[in-house]
Amino acid sequence: VLLLAMLSGLALPLLKIPLHNLSAWVWLKMGKSIIFPVFFCVNDGTSTLESCVSYIANTVIPAFGISLFFTGLLWFCLPKKKKLLTAFIIAISLAVFSLNPVDFLGLFACGLWLSFLRDKANNVYAPFLALLSSGIMELFITSLVPSVDITMVQVYSDISPTILYSSAPSFIAGLIL
């Protein structure tokens, strides 16, 4: 079960990155300026050590916290008989507590999937492994499905059309997987 949870995490970036790109484009298309998330970091380094530290800071530590709080404590406190309502509350809470309005939809979809994994595996290790494998997959697919760098865009025309064209097939592939 844990191996399947880890493998299922490989599809999460195929959902999260296109939703990030599309929501950034829609946000800018509405004439609003980008609101930066409260916590974020940019890694421009190419060394192995910088990549490892970035992976730990951006993936391992948040995955541990998400698994412990949202799919652990919050799951335990919510009603067990209403699994759909519990999954919805966890997904909304994860998206809201991320304090990142551009990634709200992507984190909501991620929260729904993590709640499903928590329910089926009946432990917090499954969502944790899914998030770890998702972080690894993001390292490999950034050249295929680039993410909009919200620190560099000011208006919607700054977003390359190739990013939008690669986001749609990626989103469909993520839904299928």
Side-chain angles (χ1 to χ4, degrees):
V1 172
L2 294 178
L3 180 63
L4 289 174
M6 190 167 76
L7 291 174
S8 73
L10 297 176
L12 282 177
L14 295 175
L15 293 174
K16 195 171 90 172
I17 293 173
L19 288 173
H20 165 82
N21 293 342
L22 294 173
S23 63
W25 183 79
V26 167
W27 190 269
L28 291 171
K29 184 80 171 165
M30 291 187 318
K32 299 180 179 182
S33 61
I34 289 288
I35 299 172
F36 294 115
V38 174
F39 305 106
F40 75 99
C41 75
V42 176
N43 180 21
D44 289 335
T46 56
S47 76
T48 306
L49 181 61
E50 288 175 347
S51 297
C52 289
V53 170
S54 176
Y55 178 74
I56 290 170
N58 292 331
T59 302
V60 176
I61 294 171
F64 180 74
I66 288 169
S67 298
L68 193 63
F69 180 73
F70 291 103
T71 62
L73 181 66
L74 198 57
W75 181 272
F76 181 74
C77 293
L78 292 171
K80 307 290 184 280
K81 296 186 189 235
K82 298 180 180 180
K83 292 181 183 178
L84 188 61
L85 178 64
T86 300
F88 186 75
I89 290 172
I90 288 174
I92 287 285
S93 300
L94 175 63
V96 168
F97 283 116
S98 72
L99 301 173
N100 188 351
V102 174
D103 283 339
F104 184 86
L105 290 175
L107 290 169
F108 179 75
C110 210
L112 286 177
W113 183 249
L114 295 176
S115 297
F116 173 77
L117 287 177
R118 172 64 168 98
D119 179 44
K120 296 303 175 191
N122 203 22
N123 62 40
V124 295
Y125 300 117
F128 178 70
L129 290 174
L131 288 171
L132 288 183
S133 64
S134 170
I136 291 171
M137 184 65 166
E138 282 184 26
L139 296 174
F140 292 115
I141 67 166
T142 53
S143 61
L144 297 173
V145 185
S147 181
V148 172
D149 184 5
I150 60 172
T151 62
M152 301 301 289
V153 294
Q154 298 295 320
V155 293
Y156 73 93
S157 61
D158 289 343
I159 299 175
S160 171
T162 58
I163 289 178
L164 297 176
Y165 292 137
S166 66
S167 293
S170 170
F171 182 74
I172 293 169
L175 284 177
I176 291 171
L177 294 175

